Amino acid sequence: KRNVLIIGAGGVAQVVAHKCAQHNDILGNIHIASRTVEKCQQIVDSVREKGSLKTAGELQAHALDALDIEATKALIAETQSQLVINVGSPFINMSVLQACIETGAAYLDTAIHEDPGKICETPPWYANYEWKRRELCEENKVTAILGVGFDPGVVNAYAALGMDYFDSVSDIDIIDINAGDHGHYFATNFDPEINFREFTGRVWSWQNRQWVQNKMFEIKRTDDLPVVGKRTSYMTGHDELHSLSKNLDVPNIRFWMGFGDHYINVFTVLNSLGLLSEQPVTTAEGLEVVPLKVVKAVLPDPASLAPNYTGKTCIGDILKGKKDGKDKEIFIYNVADHKEAYEEVGSQGISYTAGVPPVAAAILIAQGVWDVQKMVNVEELDCKPFINLLNDIGLPTRIKDEEGDRPLSY
Ligand code: NDP
């Protein structure tokens, strides 16, 4: 399969475009489509400026409302794209997937579908939307790889591969620490509307083979992690739990995200005042406003953080279980650097960690290794070639266990 259509033109799309360009000898022509064609054009220009294209080939911007299935199908056909990397907002997943199912193009995304009107749906989340199209994908021989960013994505691969080091695994704790500094009083790394949704709803986790509910910032842990040091993280609801709980035989699977006290204080004030609400309010002047939209409007644009972002991210999976009758614990992880990411592709580290994996997956589909012609979550695939490829293209994996801390490859 060849020729890539990237949908979305945000921070993650910027990374995807640069990485696709670096591998266009395998991936073919590159097209970028979003509602605002100017944003796509900016990405095209930045790819050209950086000289990221490996060989001469098409690189074009398009205007597209991806909620319009017919228009999306037409663009897939016009650009002869056999690989669609959806890194638009999570509201468009189902329409893009449908367009892929109807045209036969492979589908990749990095986040679960969300309905703008619903916050925190019943688990497992994939069953509410994506998995309903699983049979259709199989019938139409469409390869659909769900959630192939970093988390979800690479951490699913870490979980699946980590299982091999044990006779049985009791706990998988996925830990996401951003030890970077953007220099602003307060900012979100992604679209605030999407970002805050992760924290305003209930926190679902998989414990004793059941879904358990908590509130955000209710449960925390502290770990001494490689490179980033001692860090506190909070149990957070996250996509990957909703497939790992089904696909791996592990009784406890939790997700933890690192937050500083300052972030929590600001978030708590905004939330307590009702400023994170999506429900419109009417001002004394009769103006109807959505508080969350106002907060978004006054916060820094997440893309603007990239040039001055410093520091590192550390994301990985702690697995606990038994090997030969003894307790065992391992940590499989990646460390990424905000500044290095900016220098290479013009984005901050978190967009980088999210954007490189779907390109690795697209390369594996193009090479036939992952062209499975059905819908899968990452842990259902052979994850070894994925880890090896990521090692080569910017996201090296390491493992820490009783034998020490070392690079991991297969
Ligand atoms: P942004 O909010 O920066 O960009 C989203 C893009 O989607 C925008 O360009 C926007 O268009 C476009 N878009 C929205 N609606 C439509 C539509 N109807 N038709 C066409 N385009 C549309 O997002 P990010 O780059 O930060 O993130 C992209 C995705 O990656 C998100 O789904 C996010 O959840 C996911 N993600 C995954 C991670 C992981 O590790 N798995 C980590 C980080 C993010 P317009 O330009 O017109 O506004």
Coordinates of all heavy atoms in Angstrom, one line a residue, residues 129-181:
Y129 N -18.1 2.6 19.9 CA -18.0 3.1 18.5 C -17.2 2.2 17.6 O -17.7 1.4 16.8 CB -17.4 4.5 18.5 CG -18.2 5.5 19.3 CD1 -17.8 5.9 20.6 CD2 -19.3 6.1 18.7 CE1 -18.6 6.8 21.3 CE2 -20.1 7.0 19.4 CZ -19.7 7.4 20.7 OH -20.5 8.3 21.4
E130 N -15.8 2.3 17.7 CA -14.9 1.6 16.8 C -15.3 0.1 16.6 O -15.4 -0.4 15.4 CB -13.5 1.7 17.2 CG -12.9 3.1 16.9 CD -13.1 4.1 18.0 OE1 -14.0 3.9 18.9 OE2 -12.5 5.2 18.0
W131 N -15.3 -0.6 17.7 CA -15.5 -2.1 17.6 C -16.8 -2.5 16.9 O -16.9 -3.6 16.4 CB -15.3 -2.8 18.9 CG -13.9 -2.8 19.5 CD1 -12.8 -2.5 18.8 CD2 -13.5 -3.1 20.8 NE1 -11.7 -2.6 19.6 CE2 -12.1 -2.9 20.8 CE3 -14.2 -3.5 22.0 CZ2 -11.4 -3.2 22.0 CZ3 -13.5 -3.7 23.1 CH2 -12.1 -3.5 23.1
K132 N -17.7 -1.6 16.8 CA -19.0 -1.9 16.1 C -18.8 -2.1 14.6 O -19.6 -2.6 13.9 CB -20.0 -0.8 16.4 CG -20.5 -0.8 17.8 CD -21.7 0.1 17.9 CE -22.3 0.0 19.3 NZ -22.9 1.2 19.9
R133 N -17.6 -1.5 14.1 CA -17.3 -1.7 12.7 C -16.3 -2.8 12.4 O -15.8 -2.9 11.3 CB -16.8 -0.3 12.1 CG -17.5 0.9 12.5 CD -18.7 1.1 11.5 NE -19.6 2.2 11.9 CZ -19.4 3.4 11.5 NH1 -18.5 3.8 10.7 NH2 -20.2 4.4 12.0
R134 N -16.0 -3.6 13.4 CA -15.0 -4.6 13.3 C -15.3 -5.6 12.2 O -14.5 -5.9 11.3 CB -14.7 -5.3 14.6 CG -13.4 -5.9 14.7 CD -12.8 -6.0 16.1 NE -13.8 -6.3 17.1 CZ -13.6 -6.5 18.4 NH1 -12.4 -6.4 18.8 NH2 -14.5 -6.7 19.2
E135 N -16.6 -6.1 12.2 CA -17.0 -7.1 11.2 C -16.9 -6.5 9.8 O -16.5 -7.2 8.9 CB -18.4 -7.6 11.5 CG -18.3 -8.7 12.6 CD -19.6 -9.1 13.1 OE1 -20.7 -8.9 12.4 OE2 -19.7 -9.6 14.3
L136 N -17.4 -5.3 9.7 CA -17.4 -4.6 8.4 C -15.9 -4.5 7.8 O -15.7 -4.7 6.6 CB -18.0 -3.2 8.6 CG -18.7 -2.6 7.4 CD1 -19.7 -3.5 6.8 CD2 -19.4 -1.3 7.9
C137 N -15.0 -4.2 8.7 CA -13.6 -4.1 8.3 C -13.1 -5.4 7.8 O -12.5 -5.5 6.7 CB -12.7 -3.6 9.4 SG -12.8 -1.9 9.8
E138 N -13.5 -6.5 8.5 CA -13.1 -7.8 8.1 C -13.7 -8.2 6.8 O -13.0 -8.7 5.9 CB -13.5 -8.8 9.2 CG -12.7 -10.1 9.1 CD -12.2 -10.6 10.5 OE1 -12.5 -10.0 11.5 OE2 -11.6 -11.7 10.5
E139 N -15.0 -7.9 6.6 CA -15.7 -8.3 5.4 C -15.0 -7.5 4.2 O -14.8 -8.1 3.1 CB -17.1 -7.8 5.4 CG -18.1 -8.8 6.1 CD -19.4 -8.1 6.4 OE1 -19.8 -7.2 5.7 OE2 -20.0 -8.6 7.4
N140 N -14.7 -6.3 4.4 CA -14.1 -5.5 3.3 C -12.6 -5.5 3.2 O -12.0 -4.8 2.4 CB -14.5 -4.0 3.5 CG -16.0 -3.8 3.2 OD1 -16.8 -4.7 3.3 ND2 -16.4 -2.6 3.0
K141 N -12.0 -6.4 4.1 CA -10.5 -6.6 4.1 C -9.8 -5.2 4.3 O -8.8 -4.9 3.6 CB -10.0 -7.3 2.9 CG -10.6 -8.7 2.7 CD -9.7 -9.5 1.8 CE -10.2 -10.9 1.5 NZ -10.7 -11.6 2.6
V142 N -10.3 -4.4 5.2 CA -9.7 -3.1 5.5 C -8.9 -3.2 6.8 O -9.3 -3.7 7.8 CB -10.8 -2.1 5.7 CG1 -10.3 -0.8 6.3 CG2 -11.5 -1.8 4.4
T143 N -7.6 -2.8 6.6 CA -6.7 -2.7 7.8 C -7.1 -1.5 8.6 O -7.0 -0.4 8.0 CB -5.3 -2.7 7.3 OG1 -5.0 -3.9 6.6 CG2 -4.3 -2.6 8.5
A144 N -7.4 -1.6 9.8 CA -7.7 -0.5 10.7 C -6.9 -0.7 12.0 O -7.2 -1.6 12.7 CB -9.2 -0.3 11.0
I145 N -6.0 0.2 12.2 CA -5.2 0.1 13.5 C -5.6 1.2 14.4 O -5.4 2.4 14.1 CB -3.7 0.1 13.2 CG1 -3.3 -1.0 12.2 CG2 -2.9 -0.1 14.5 CD1 -1.9 -1.2 11.9
L146 N -6.2 0.9 15.5 CA -6.8 1.9 16.4 C -5.7 2.3 17.4 O -5.0 1.5 17.9 CB -8.0 1.3 17.1 CG -9.1 0.7 16.3 CD1 -10.2 0.1 17.1 CD2 -9.7 1.8 15.3
G147 N -5.7 3.6 17.7 CA -5.0 4.1 18.8 C -3.5 3.8 18.7 O -2.8 3.3 19.7
V148 N -2.9 4.2 17.6 CA -1.5 3.9 17.4 C -0.6 5.2 17.5 O 0.2 5.5 16.7 CB -1.2 3.0 16.1 CG1 -1.6 3.8 14.8 CG2 0.2 2.5 16.1
G149 N -0.8 5.9 18.6 CA 0.0 7.0 19.0 C 1.0 6.5 20.0 O 1.5 5.4 19.9
F150 N 1.4 7.3 21.0 CA 2.2 6.8 22.0 C 1.4 6.2 23.1 O 1.6 5.0 23.5 CB 3.2 7.8 22.6 CG 4.4 7.2 23.2 CD1 5.6 7.1 22.4 CD2 4.3 6.5 24.4 CE1 6.7 6.4 22.9 CE2 5.4 5.8 24.9 CZ 6.6 5.8 24.2
D151 N 0.5 7.0 23.7 CA -0.4 6.4 24.7 C -1.8 6.9 24.4 O -2.1 8.0 24.8 CB 0.1 6.7 26.1 CG 0.5 8.1 26.4 OD1 0.8 8.8 25.4 OD2 0.5 8.5 27.5
P152 N -2.7 6.1 23.8 CA -2.5 4.7 23.4 C -1.6 4.6 22.2 O -1.4 5.5 21.5 CB -4.0 4.3 23.0 CG -4.5 5.6 22.4 CD -4.0 6.6 23.4
G153 N -1.1 3.4 22.1 CA -0.2 3.0 21.0 C 1.0 2.2 21.4 O 0.9 1.1 21.7
V154 N 2.1 3.0 21.5 CA 3.4 2.3 21.9 C 3.2 1.6 23.3 O 3.8 0.5 23.5 CB 4.5 3.3 21.9 CG1 5.8 2.7 22.3 CG2 4.7 4.0 20.5
V155 N 2.5 2.3 24.2 CA 2.4 1.7 25.5 C 1.6 0.3 25.5 O 1.8 -0.5 26.3 CB 1.7 2.6 26.6 CG1 2.6 3.8 26.8 CG2 0.3 3.0 26.2
N156 N 0.7 0.2 24.5 CA 0.0 -1.1 24.3 C 1.0 -2.1 23.8 O 1.0 -3.3 24.3 CB -1.1 -1.0 23.2 CG -2.1 0.1 23.5 OD1 -1.8 1.2 23.8 ND2 -3.4 -0.3 23.5
A157 N 2.0 -1.7 22.9 CA 3.0 -2.7 22.5 C 3.9 -3.0 23.7 O 4.3 -4.2 23.8 CB 3.8 -2.0 21.4
Y158 N 4.3 -2.0 24.5 CA 5.1 -2.3 25.7 C 4.4 -3.4 26.6 O 5.0 -4.3 27.1 CB 5.4 -1.1 26.5 CG 6.3 0.0 25.9 CD1 6.5 1.2 26.5 CD2 7.0 -0.3 24.7 CE1 7.3 2.2 25.9 CE2 7.9 0.6 24.2 CZ 8.0 1.9 24.8 OH 8.8 2.8 24.2
A159 N 3.1 -3.2 26.8 CA 2.3 -4.1 27.6 C 2.4 -5.5 27.0 O 2.7 -6.5 27.8 CB 0.9 -3.6 27.7
A160 N 2.1 -5.6 25.7 CA 2.0 -7.0 25.1 C 3.4 -7.6 25.2 O 3.5 -8.8 25.5 CB 1.6 -6.8 23.7
L161 N 4.5 -6.9 24.8 CA 5.8 -7.5 24.8 C 6.3 -7.7 26.2 O 7.0 -8.7 26.5 CB 6.8 -6.5 24.1 CG 6.5 -6.4 22.6 CD1 7.3 -5.2 22.0 CD2 6.8 -7.7 21.8
G162 N 5.9 -6.9 27.2 CA 6.3 -7.1 28.5 C 5.8 -8.4 29.1 O 6.5 -9.0 30.0
M163 N 4.7 -8.9 28.7 CA 4.1 -10.1 29.1 C 5.0 -11.3 29.0 O 5.0 -12.2 29.7 CB 2.8 -10.4 28.4 CG 1.7 -9.4 28.5 SD 0.8 -9.4 30.0 CE -0.1 -10.9 29.9
D164 N 5.9 -11.2 27.9 CA 6.8 -12.3 27.6 C 7.9 -12.6 28.7 O 8.5 -13.6 28.7 CB 7.5 -12.1 26.3 CG 6.5 -12.0 25.1 OD1 5.4 -12.5 25.3 OD2 6.9 -11.5 24.0
Y165 N 8.1 -11.5 29.5 CA 9.1 -11.7 30.6 C 8.6 -12.4 31.8 O 9.3 -12.5 32.8 CB 9.7 -10.3 30.9 CG 10.4 -9.6 29.8 CD1 9.7 -9.0 28.8 CD2 11.8 -9.7 29.8 CE1 10.4 -8.4 27.8 CE2 12.5 -9.1 28.7 CZ 11.8 -8.4 27.7 OH 12.5 -7.8 26.7
F166 N 7.3 -12.7 31.8 CA 6.7 -13.3 33.0 C 6.0 -14.6 32.7 O 5.6 -14.9 31.6 CB 5.6 -12.3 33.5 CG 6.1 -10.9 34.0 CD1 6.3 -9.9 33.0 CD2 6.3 -10.7 35.3 CE1 6.8 -8.7 33.4 CE2 6.8 -9.5 35.7 CZ 7.0 -8.5 34.8
D167 N 5.7 -15.4 33.8 CA 4.8 -16.5 33.7 C 3.4 -16.0 33.9 O 2.4 -16.4 33.3 CB 5.1 -17.5 34.8 CG 6.5 -18.1 34.6 OD1 6.9 -18.3 33.4 OD2 7.2 -18.4 35.6
S168 N 3.2 -15.0 34.8 CA 1.9 -14.3 34.9 C 2.1 -12.9 35.3 O 3.0 -12.6 36.1 CB 1.0 -15.1 35.9 OG 1.5 -14.9 37.2
V169 N 1.2 -12.0 34.8 CA 1.3 -10.6 35.2 C 0.1 -10.2 36.0 O -1.0 -10.5 35.6 CB 1.4 -9.7 33.9 CG1 1.4 -8.2 34.2 CG2 2.7 -10.0 33.1
S170 N 0.4 -9.5 37.1 CA -0.8 -9.1 38.0 C -1.1 -7.6 37.7 O -2.3 -7.2 37.8 CB -0.4 -9.3 39.4 OG 0.7 -8.6 39.8
D171 N -0.1 -6.8 37.4 CA -0.4 -5.4 37.3 C 0.4 -4.8 36.1 O 1.6 -5.0 35.9 CB 0.2 -4.6 38.5 CG -0.5 -5.1 39.8 OD1 -0.2 -6.1 40.3 OD2 -1.4 -4.3 40.2
I172 N -0.3 -3.9 35.3 CA 0.3 -3.1 34.4 C 0.0 -1.6 34.8 O -1.2 -1.3 34.8 CB -0.1 -3.4 32.9 CG1 0.2 -4.8 32.5 CG2 0.5 -2.4 32.0 CD1 -0.2 -5.2 31.1
D173 N 1.0 -0.8 35.0 CA 0.7 0.6 35.3 C 1.4 1.4 34.3 O 2.7 1.4 34.2 CB 1.3 0.9 36.7 CG 0.4 0.3 37.8 OD1 -0.8 0.8 37.9 OD2 0.8 -0.6 38.5
I174 N 0.7 2.1 33.5 CA 1.2 2.9 32.4 C 1.4 4.3 33.0 O 0.5 4.9 33.6 CB 0.2 3.0 31.2 CG1 0.0 1.6 30.7 CG2 0.8 3.9 30.1 CD1 -1.2 1.4 29.8
I175 N 2.6 4.8 32.9 CA 3.0 6.1 33.5 C 3.4 7.1 32.5 O 4.3 6.8 31.6 CB 4.1 5.9 34.6 CG1 3.5 4.9 35.6 CG2 4.4 7.2 35.2 CD1 4.3 4.7 36.8
D176 N 2.8 8.3 32.5 CA 3.1 9.3 31.5 C 3.6 10.6 32.2 O 2.7 11.2 32.8 CB 1.8 9.6 30.6 CG 2.0 10.6 29.6 OD1 2.9 11.6 29.8 OD2 1.3 10.6 28.6
I177 N 4.9 10.8 32.1 CA 5.4 12.0 32.8 C 5.9 13.0 31.7 O 6.8 12.7 30.9 CB 6.6 11.6 33.7 CG1 6.2 10.6 34.7 CG2 7.2 12.9 34.3 CD1 5.2 11.1 35.8
N178 N 5.4 14.2 31.8 CA 6.0 15.3 31.0 C 6.8 16.2 31.9 O 6.2 17.0 32.6 CB 4.9 16.1 30.2 CG 5.5 17.3 29.5 OD1 6.7 17.4 29.3 ND2 4.6 18.2 29.2
A179 N 8.1 16.0 31.9 CA 9.0 16.8 32.8 C 9.5 18.1 32.1 O 10.5 18.6 32.4 CB 10.1 16.0 33.3
G180 N 8.7 18.5 31.0 CA 9.1 19.6 30.2 C 8.6 20.9 30.8 O 7.8 20.9 31.7
D181 N 9.2 22.0 30.3 CA 8.8 23.3 30.8 C 8.5 24.2 29.6 O 9.4 24.4 28.8 CB 10.0 23.9 31.6 CG 9.7 25.3 32.2 OD1 8.5 25.7 32.1 OD2 10.6 25.9 32.7

